[in-house]
């Protein structure tokens, strides 16, 4: 699809064109001029576009090369791949006419493999990303390889049949196409991989040097001396013949140096790249190693490079299109572990077989069975040992999960509970090599490093109980991203969960201590206020009354007697105040009657105040053993029942109220009435909030349910054993 006109014009406008303003109803053209937009030009009749405007619009659309590449690129790339395959089919026929090669047992050459696989994978890249140059380089390089091998084999066939005037032109064509292929795949591809852009202009130097050497090499082949292999050359320069071989060797050395410099750009790019780009670079490097290693070893295994050559374009395509799906370090790790397992099992089998044949020749038929049993029994231990060695080799000691766990255990032994979680996070961050990592526990966050955007989130579970969330940041700078992250997380996550649980307990304990201290200080303040403002003032007044009675006793006995009678009545008030203070600390009825008896006494006191008066009914039902309850639970249950009965007496207009105490693992308190219920939309008052707070302080709950005309039910659930509040 072609790019919109406005986008094309703005994309192609240079800096010098910005000063040229466009008139209304126009868009800026590629040279700073005006191109018609949606509005018709002045002078056009009936809104019809002007012929010049139509022509200019056609020219602008013709300049939309990105749009053309997106539209025609896949078709052209598929055509190139098709032509390359046709050339390879023709080469198969030509090769069949030639004698077998003494250097390889394969019926095809490496150029045949490159001419088939490179264009196919290049076409796949172009179809997916038409504007990326890498796909085009693979297509053209594969086409050049196919044309080169076909021309070279055809020239050899003509020589084999007695020669032909086209032999030398075919060799010149083959050399030229091969030089272009070398430049595309050996120079441009490493310089542009994987982004399609060169690192900097300085890297044009090896590209230009190699291009010059390849061009001169092709000129040497153009003026090369005649020979039986290359045929008669009408352009032969006799004076150049003594220097021909030496010149070409020098040019080939320059080309090799230029290619080495081009591939060294990958090293520079690797050091500067982030984790994703590094993974993209490693994919083809591993595939190229599979081609270079047998080539370096040479005869008799060099021909196996023809079999591994398709891995190079495949690795490039996977790295560009699917680098997020497959980890190159995973491939390396599994390959090394698999190869090590095969080697160990094979070595054990060979050793057991050889030993049994030499020492126990009579039972050597059981050697294979013994070797198989040994391999099966020790398969997983051997695999774990090999995996640990591979992790050490790939990631060092900082990436070995077991080494990380051992280091974490040592750090936890010397860390206090408040810093254990931070130590665990630091070890996990180092093992994953991420920019930061954090743990969220009940809204509080403990951070190590700079988490930044959260790349992964996972729950922390301690013995089946969720204790928090683990927030992992994006990968940091490293050689390449670790694909063994799952193993690191699986090994270290339990330590982090333990530390998070310990932190949660420590925080809850600290909060509990703070609440206890706060409650104690508030109680002391209340007692001081009550003693000072109430009892203290009363006792001071009584002391003054005693002094007055002592002074008036002789002069006016009647006045002294009246003062003493008032003083006696005041003593009754002081006694009541003292009892009220004691009652505020703990209701005496709980100590005298127990929880069940104290609740029955409350119900009996509340019964006359109900709507039916003396005919009202107040029931108390007790199930379970109420002895042995914590003092705080008894007080909370008593106060909740007291507040609920007060509300029934004042607001419910109920004739019947029922109180239920049930203990079965927990203490459940229920107060239900048959009154008018709560009005819709009523907000909780001080009394209801007090009941809820008393239950929550002990880790319990208190709920009030009601429906108009159906009464109100207060249900409280309290722990029957002492517990720290808010531990979870």
């Amino acid at each position: 699809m072609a790019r919109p006109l406005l986008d094309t014009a703005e994309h192609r406008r240079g800096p010098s064109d910005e000063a040229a303003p466009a008139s209304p109803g126009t868009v800026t053209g590629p040279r700073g001029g005006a191109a018609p937009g949606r509005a018709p030009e002045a002078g056009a009749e009936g809104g019809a576009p002007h012929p010049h405007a139509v022509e200019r619009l056609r020219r602008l659309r013709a300049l939309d090369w990105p749009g053309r590449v997106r539209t025609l690129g896949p078709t052209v790339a598929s055509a190139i791949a098709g032509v390359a395959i046709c050339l390879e089919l023709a080469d198969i026929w030509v090769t069949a006419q030639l004698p077998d090669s003494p250097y390889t047992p394969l019926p095809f050459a490496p150029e045949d493999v490159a001419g088939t696989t490179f264009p196919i994978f290049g076409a796949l890249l172009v179809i997916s990303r038409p504007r990326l140059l890498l796909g085009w380089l693979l297509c053209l390089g594969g086409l050049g390889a196919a044309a080169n091998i076909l021309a070279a084999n055809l020239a050899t066939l003509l020589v084999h049949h007695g020669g032909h005037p086209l032999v030398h032109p075919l060799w010149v064509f083959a050399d030229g196409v091969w030089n272009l292929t070398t430049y595309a795949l050996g120079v441009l591809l490493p310089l542009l991989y994987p982004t399609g852009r060169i690192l900097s202009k300085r890297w044009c130097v090896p590209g230009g040097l190699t291009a010059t050497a390849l061009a001169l090499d092709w000129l040497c082949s153009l003026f090369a001396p005649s020979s039986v292999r290359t045929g008669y050359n009408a352009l032969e320069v006799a004076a150049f013949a003594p220097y021909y071989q030496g010149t070409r060797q020098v040019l080939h050395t320059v080309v090799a140096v230029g290619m080495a410099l081009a591939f060294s750009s990958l090293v520079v790019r690797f050091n500067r790249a982030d984790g994703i780009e590094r993974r993209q670079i490693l994919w083809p490097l591993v595939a190229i190693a599979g081609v270079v290693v047998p080539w370096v070893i040479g005869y008799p295994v060099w021909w196996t490079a023809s079999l591994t050559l398709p891995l190079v374009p495949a690795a490039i395509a996977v790295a560009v299109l699917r680098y997020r799906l497959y980890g190159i370090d995973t491939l390396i790790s599994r390959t090394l572990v698999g190869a090590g397992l095969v080697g160990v099992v094979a070595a054990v089998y060979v050793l057991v077989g050889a030993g049994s044949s030499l020492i126990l020749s009579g039972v050597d038929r059981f050697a294979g069975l013994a070797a198989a049993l040994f391999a099966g029994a020790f398969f997983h231990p051997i695999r774990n040992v090999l995996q640990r060695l591979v992790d050490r080799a790939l990631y060092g000691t900082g990436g070995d999960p077991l080494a990380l766990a051992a280091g974490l255990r040592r750090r936890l032994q010397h860390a206090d509970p408040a810093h254990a979680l931070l130590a665990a996070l630091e070890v996990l961050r180092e093992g994953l090599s991420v920019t930061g990592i954090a743990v969220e526990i009940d809204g509080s966050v403990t951070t190590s490093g700079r988490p930044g955007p959260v790349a992964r989130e996972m729950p922390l579970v301690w013995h089946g109980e969720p204790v928090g969330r683990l927030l992992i940041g994006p990968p940091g700078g490293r050689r390449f991203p670790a694909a063994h992250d799952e193993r690191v997380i699986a090994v270290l996550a339990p330590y982090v969960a333990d530390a998070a649980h310990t932190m949660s307990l420590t925080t809850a304990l600290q909060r509990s201590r703070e609440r206890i201290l706060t409650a104690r200080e508030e109680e002391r303040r209340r007692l001081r206020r009550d003693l000072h403002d109430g009892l203290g003032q009363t006792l001071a007044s009584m002391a003054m009354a005693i002094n007055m009675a002592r002074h008036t006793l002789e002069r006016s006995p009647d006045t002294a007697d009246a003062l003493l009678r008032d003083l006696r009545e005041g003593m009754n008030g002081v006694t009541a105040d003292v009892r009220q203070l004691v009652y505020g600390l703990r209701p005496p009825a709980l100590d005298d009657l127990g929880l069940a008896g104290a609740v029955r006494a409350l119900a009996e006191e509340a019964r006359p105040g109900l709507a039916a008066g003396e005919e009202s009914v107040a029931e108390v039902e007790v199930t379970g053993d109420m002895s042995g309850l914590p003092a705080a639970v008894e007080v909370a249950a008593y106060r909740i029942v007291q507040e609920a009965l007060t509300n029934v007496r004042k607001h419910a207009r109920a004739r019947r109220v029922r109180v239920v105490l049930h203990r079965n693992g927990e203490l459940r308190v229920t107060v239900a009435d048959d009154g008018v219920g709560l009005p819709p939309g009523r907000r909780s008052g001080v009394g209801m909030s007090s009941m809820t707070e008393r239950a929550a302080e002990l880790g319990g709950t208190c709920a009030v349910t009601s429906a108009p005309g159906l009464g109100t039910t207060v249900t409280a659930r309290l722990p029957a054993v002492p517990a720290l509040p808010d531990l979870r």
Side-chain angles (χ1 to χ4, degrees), residues 36-37 39-58:
E41 288 190 352
E45 297 180 1
H50 196 279
H52 296 292
V54 174
E55 179 63 21
R56 182 164 300 191
L57 178 62
R58 186 187 64 79

Side-chain angles (χ1 to χ4, degrees), residues 329 390-399 478-480 482-484 487:
D329 44 357
V390 170
D391 287 340
R392 286 287 185 95
L394 288 177
Y395 314 114
T397 56
R478 67 189 306 168
R479 289 178 296 171
F480 44 84
H484 72 318
R487 296 198 301 276

Side-chain angles (χ1 to χ4, degrees), residues 664-691:
N664 184 15
E666 65 177 3
L667 177 62
R668 187 174 63 205
V669 180
T670 305
V671 181
D673 64 71
D674 61 351
V676 297
L678 297 177
R682 176 173 176 174
R683 301 175 61 183
S684 298
V686 177
M688 291 187 180
S689 300
S690 174
M691 291 189 294

Side-chain angles (χ1 to χ4, degrees), residues 50-131:
H50 196 279
H52 296 292
V54 174
E55 179 63 21
R56 182 164 300 191
L57 178 62
R58 186 187 64 79
R59 291 178 181 177
L60 285 174
R61 288 179 175 173
L63 292 174
D64 185 16
W65 291 108
R68 283 191 164 191
V69 171
R70 285 193 298 269
T71 304
L72 301 178
T75 303
V76 174
S78 301
I80 292 175
V83 172
I85 293 175
C86 292
L87 293 179
E88 288 298 336
L89 293 176
D91 183 63
I92 292 175
W93 180 85
V94 173
T95 305
Q97 313 301 318
L98 295 174
D100 294 337
S101 173
Y103 303 105
T104 175
L106 300 177
F108 50 82
E111 292 86 347
D112 293 311
V113 179
T116 305
T117 58
F118 275 73
I120 293 176
F121 286 102
L124 292 176
L125 275 178
V126 172
I127 291 173
S128 301
R129 300 182 61 180
R131 298 182 61 182

Side-chain angles (χ1 to χ4, degrees), residues 90-218:
D91 183 63
I92 292 175
W93 180 85
V94 173
T95 305
Q97 313 301 318
L98 295 174
D100 294 337
S101 173
Y103 303 105
T104 175
L106 300 177
F108 50 82
E111 292 86 347
D112 293 311
V113 179
T116 305
T117 58
F118 275 73
I120 293 176
F121 286 102
L124 292 176
L125 275 178
V126 172
I127 291 173
S128 301
R129 300 182 61 180
R131 298 182 61 182
L132 186 65
L133 293 178
L134 303 181
W136 292 105
L137 290 177
L138 292 179
C139 288
L140 296 177
L143 178 63
N148 165 264
I149 192 63
L150 176 60
N153 285 340
L154 185 58
T156 303
L157 181 62
L158 293 177
V159 171
H160 185 70
H161 287 83
H164 193 277
L166 292 178
V167 171
H168 190 267
L170 285 174
W171 278 113
V172 172
F173 174 77
D175 286 344
V177 172
W178 181 250
N179 287 352
L180 292 176
T181 302
T182 301
Y183 191 70
L185 300 180
V187 179
L188 291 181
L189 187 62
L191 285 176
L192 299 177
Y193 183 82
T195 61
R197 297 184 298 273
I198 198 169
L199 278 173
S200 64
K201 293 182 179 180
R202 292 180 298 176
W203 289 98
C204 295
V205 175
L209 179 66
T210 308
T212 303
L214 289 173
L216 293 176
D217 180 75
W218 183 76

Side-chain angles (χ1 to χ4, degrees), residues 336-536:
L336 293 178
V337 172
L341 283 174
V342 171
V344 171
V345 172
V348 169
Y349 189 86
V350 171
L351 291 176
V352 172
S356 63
S357 62
L358 294 176
I359 302 174
L360 303 173
S361 58
V363 293
D364 60 344
R365 60 182 177 273
F366 300 106
L369 178 60
L373 292 175
F374 176 84
F378 292 94
F379 178 83
H380 283 290
I382 294 174
R383 181 186 179 278
N384 292 335
V385 171
L386 291 175
Q387 186 67 69
R388 186 173 181 181
L389 293 176
V390 170
D391 287 340
R392 286 287 185 95
L394 288 177
Y395 314 114
T397 56
D400 183 7
L402 297 180
L404 290 172
L408 178 56
R409 285 194 297 269
R410 289 192 297 269
R411 295 187 62 175
L412 293 179
Q413 290 175 355
H414 299 88
D416 58 89
H419 296 86
L421 180 59
L422 184 58
L425 290 180
E426 290 177 354
V427 173
L428 184 58
R429 178 172 61 88
E430 294 172 1
L432 297 178
S433 187
V434 294
T435 58
I437 194 168
V439 167
E440 181 180 353
I441 306 173
D442 297 333
S444 62
V445 180
T446 303
T447 304
S448 174
R450 301 182 304 276
V454 178
R456 182 175 179 181
E457 176 182 332
M458 60 178 297
L460 291 175
V461 180
W462 183 83
H463 293 283
E465 177 186 356
V467 294
R469 294 188 305 156
L470 181 64
L471 309 176
I472 302 175
R478 67 189 306 168
R479 289 178 296 171
F480 44 84
H484 72 318
D485 286 354
E486 293 299 329
R487 296 198 301 276
V488 173
I489 292 176
V491 172
L492 298 185
Y495 292 95
V496 179
D498 287 342
H501 180 68
T502 304
M503 174 67 76
S504 178
L505 290 178
T506 303
T507 304
L509 180 60
Q510 181 65 27
R511 291 175 180 173
S512 177
R513 290 174 176 173
E514 292 175 356
R515 283 195 295 269
I516 292 174
L517 292 176
T518 301
R520 186 177 66 183
E521 293 302 322
E522 289 294 333
E523 190 65 19
R524 287 179 175 178
R525 182 181 299 176
R526 185 185 68 84
L527 289 174
R528 179 182 180 276
R529 182 177 61 251
D530 292 343
L531 292 174
H532 179 272
D533 298 341
L535 188 59

Side-chain angles (χ1 to χ4, degrees), residues 202-420:
R202 292 180 298 176
W203 289 98
C204 295
V205 175
L209 179 66
T210 308
T212 303
L214 289 173
L216 293 176
D217 180 75
W218 183 76
L219 289 177
C220 289
S221 64
L222 185 64
F223 301 108
S226 302
S227 65
V228 176
R229 176 177 174 272
T230 60
Y232 173 72
N233 183 11
L235 300 177
E236 176 184 2
V237 178
F240 181 64
Y243 310 103
Y244 172 74
Q245 293 294 340
T247 302
R248 296 205 69 176
Q249 289 180 359
V250 172
L251 293 175
H252 289 170
T253 302
V254 173
V255 171
V257 172
M259 293 175 61
L261 292 175
F263 275 93
S264 67
S265 68
L266 291 176
V267 178
V268 178
R269 192 186 294 269
F270 185 88
N271 292 328
R272 300 178 181 177
D274 56 9
I276 292 178
E277 191 170 328
R278 290 183 177 187
R279 180 172 294 187
Q280 289 179 309
I281 294 173
L282 279 174
W283 270 105
L285 290 184
V286 173
I288 290 174
V291 177
V292 173
V293 170
W295 202 282
V296 171
I297 295 176
Y299 186 82
V301 299
W302 70 269
W303 55 270
T304 58
S306 300
L307 303 177
T308 58
L309 189 60
L311 298 177
V312 176
I316 293 175
V318 169
V320 173
L321 300 178
R322 293 291 184 268
Y323 59 89
R324 289 186 177 92
L325 298 182
Y326 310 104
I328 183 62
D329 44 357
T330 302
L331 176 64
I332 297 174
S333 175
R334 292 180 179 176
T335 301
L336 293 178
V337 172
L341 283 174
V342 171
V344 171
V345 172
V348 169
Y349 189 86
V350 171
L351 291 176
V352 172
S356 63
S357 62
L358 294 176
I359 302 174
L360 303 173
S361 58
V363 293
D364 60 344
R365 60 182 177 273
F366 300 106
L369 178 60
L373 292 175
F374 176 84
F378 292 94
F379 178 83
H380 283 290
I382 294 174
R383 181 186 179 278
N384 292 335
V385 171
L386 291 175
Q387 186 67 69
R388 186 173 181 181
L389 293 176
V390 170
D391 287 340
R392 286 287 185 95
L394 288 177
Y395 314 114
T397 56
D400 183 7
L402 297 180
L404 290 172
L408 178 56
R409 285 194 297 269
R410 289 192 297 269
R411 295 187 62 175
L412 293 179
Q413 290 175 355
H414 299 88
D416 58 89
H419 296 86

